[in-house]
Amino acid sequence: MFMAVVGLGVLALHLYLWKRLVRDTTTTARARKIGTVVLGVFALLAVAALVLPRFVGVDIAAWFAWPGYLWLALFFYLLLVLAVLELPRLALRKWTKPAEETDESRRLFLSRAAAVVAAAASASIVGAGTVSALGPPAVKRVTVPIGGLATGLRGFRIAVVSDIHLGPLMGRAHTERIVRMINETQPDLVAMVGDLADGTVAELGGAAAPLGDLEAPTYFVTGNHEYYSGYQPWVTELERLGLHYLHNENTRISRGTDAFTLAGVTDVTGKSLGDGPDMKKAVAGRVGATVLLAHQPVQLEQAVDLGVDLQLSGHTHGGQLWPFHYLVRAAQPAVSGLSKVDNTWLYVTNGAGSWGPPVRVGAEPDISVVELTPGA
């Protein structure tokens, strides 16, 4: 239902785009008809990319997901640039007031100039963002001082990966590259914090198979997209590959005689399916410092109340498409990177994949290596 509403909203906004790019820039019925048909086809592709993949399957969806999602990104930035250009249009309203034939020519010139500027700027932004999204994730390194961490655990490294989003656009090669990059960092432990796939195990199990080649012990929790794609089969498949599921529970991570507690909770989306997070249960019986895997940063509030030392999260994609990070910040306590509330650290990775358009603007994909060190 949500995606259907979004699809209707996209169609409605295309009317504004039609007005500015087609109606205001054409002078003949033939040119206007061609522009209307082209824009209509792209609008339908965008709605199809948003709504149909879960109904027709990953393989079929790939045929329209690529053009549909790329147009969706271009559509968004066209709207943004054209909205900004409304200000000079208003300022020049008197100059283009149609009192004479020359004024109509001026208005047509301004409309076409605005359309060209919007198209050029949007294409440049989306082009650069596509290169960023489809290129290798950046490897980010951050050191976190943990109070109560045993000195023998100094330098313990956790590779954090999230939001891989296997689906119509990203497949096995995407997973292989991520696994290779993680192994090259030689972490002590790998933490996968949700949103592995947008599709079923039957469709994408082969694409996820390279995760079995991760060399360090790997622990994972569910994200919201696991619940859209069938979380139980995915949990079973990942455990078959040798990964360890932290289902509202914890495990002891040791180096010599020193240890800390690694806990994990399910995503808040699971609550509607009877599989909601239980953080109290997840940290029960903990030993030493506590590191928590939780898909959404918003789960930080309870982590602070329970005295968790470090929460590792994803979900936000760092905003993915500027300026969406402002909206994400309104819903989450942090969008990207390291922050602290009281005595609890929060680290949010941008994620290694993308949802929807394979485009990232102002939020490069990443794999993060979090190094623990004793702190005050």
Side-chain angles (χ1 to χ4, degrees):
M1 177 61 71
F2 171 75
M3 296 311 298
V5 172
V6 171
L8 289 174
V10 168
L11 286 175
L13 287 172
H14 271 81
L15 291 176
Y16 168 75
L17 215 61
W18 173 83
K19 179 181 178 182
R20 286 292 179 248
L21 298 183
V22 179
R23 193 195 70 176
D24 292 352
T25 62
T26 55
T27 57
T28 66
R30 184 172 183 272
R32 185 167 296 179
K33 183 178 180 180
I34 292 173
T36 301
V37 169
V38 170
L39 193 60
V41 169
F42 280 124
L44 291 175
L45 280 172
V47 173
L50 286 169
V51 176
L52 293 184
R54 68 180 60 188
F55 299 109
V56 302
V58 169
D59 292 337
I60 296 176
W63 289 96
F64 55 81
W66 276 105
Y69 276 132
L70 285 173
W71 167 250
L72 196 62
L74 189 60
F75 160 74
F76 169 71
Y77 283 107
L78 280 169
L79 286 176
L80 190 63
V81 176
L82 286 169
V84 171
L85 291 176
E86 291 292 344
L87 296 176
R89 288 176 69 96
L90 288 173
L92 293 170
R93 178 179 292 178
K94 290 184 178 180
W95 187 62
T96 59
K97 189 175 181 180
E100 300 176 3
E101 183 179 347
T102 54
D103 294 321
E104 186 65 26
S105 298
R106 289 172 179 175
R107 186 168 61 177
L108 182 62
F109 171 78
L110 285 177
S111 295
R112 288 177 173 175
V116 169
V117 169
S122 301
S124 298
I125 293 170
V126 172
T130 302
V131 171
S132 174
L134 299 181
V139 176
K140 295 182 178 178
R141 300 178 185 271
V142 60
T143 300
V144 183
I146 302 293
L149 185 75
T151 56
L153 293 166
R154 181 188 301 275
F156 190 96
R157 293 180 301 151
I158 303 174
V160 184
V161 64
S162 181
D163 301 280
I164 294 174
H165 284 292
L166 299 174
L169 306 185
M170 298 289 191
R172 186 183 180 98
H174 178 53
T175 313
E176 288 175 342
R177 180 169 63 185
I178 289 169
V179 169
R180 182 179 68 254
M181 292 180 68
I182 290 174
N183 286 341
E184 286 173 354
T185 69
Q186 297 183 319
D188 298 292
L189 181 150
V190 178
M192 287 179 50
V193 286
D195 281 8
L196 169 63
D198 295 306
T200 66
V201 171
E203 295 171 316
L204 295 170
L211 293 172
D213 296 327
L214 287 166
E215 296 170 356
T218 302
Y219 296 83
F220 72 96
V221 293
T222 53
N224 53 308
H225 282 252
E226 270 71 42
Y227 293 99
Y228 307 150
S229 304
Y231 72 98
Q232 285 287 9
W234 272 114
V235 167
T236 300
E237 178 64 12
L238 291 180
E239 289 184 324
R240 186 187 70 80
L241 293 173
L243 283 65
H244 310 287
Y245 181 36
L246 292 175
H247 182 256
N248 296 322
E249 58 188 315
N250 66 69
T251 187
R252 178 187 173 101
I253 304 297
S254 302
R255 175 189 279 177
T257 58
D258 296 318
F260 70 91
T261 295
L262 182 70
V265 291
T266 60
D267 184 67
V268 293
T269 306
K271 188 175 181 180
S272 62
L273 297 174
D275 192 44
D278 187 338
M279 201 171 294
K280 288 184 179 180
K281 179 182 176 183
V283 300
R286 54 186 160 173
V287 175
T290 304
V291 176
L292 173 72
L293 310 186
H295 179 61
Q296 297 197 39
V298 75
Q299 295 172 275
L300 177 70
E301 182 176 353
Q302 192 175 12
V304 172
D305 292 339
L306 292 172
V308 168
D309 296 287
L310 169 64
Q311 176 177 317
L312 301 174
S313 297
H315 183 66
T316 66
H317 295 205
Q320 186 166 327
L321 295 171
W322 183 92
F324 275 116
H325 67 283
Y326 292 114
L327 295 177
V328 175
R329 188 64 183 83
Q332 301 285 346
V335 178
S336 179
L338 185 66
S339 58
K340 191 176 187 181
V341 175
D342 294 339
N343 293 317
T344 301
W345 289 100
L346 170 66
Y347 184 78
V348 183
T349 171
N350 285 353
S354 56
W355 181 85
V359 180
R360 280 180 170 267
V361 179
E364 65 180 352
D366 72 58
I367 295 166
S368 298
V369 180
V370 176
E371 184 173 318
L372 307 182
T373 188

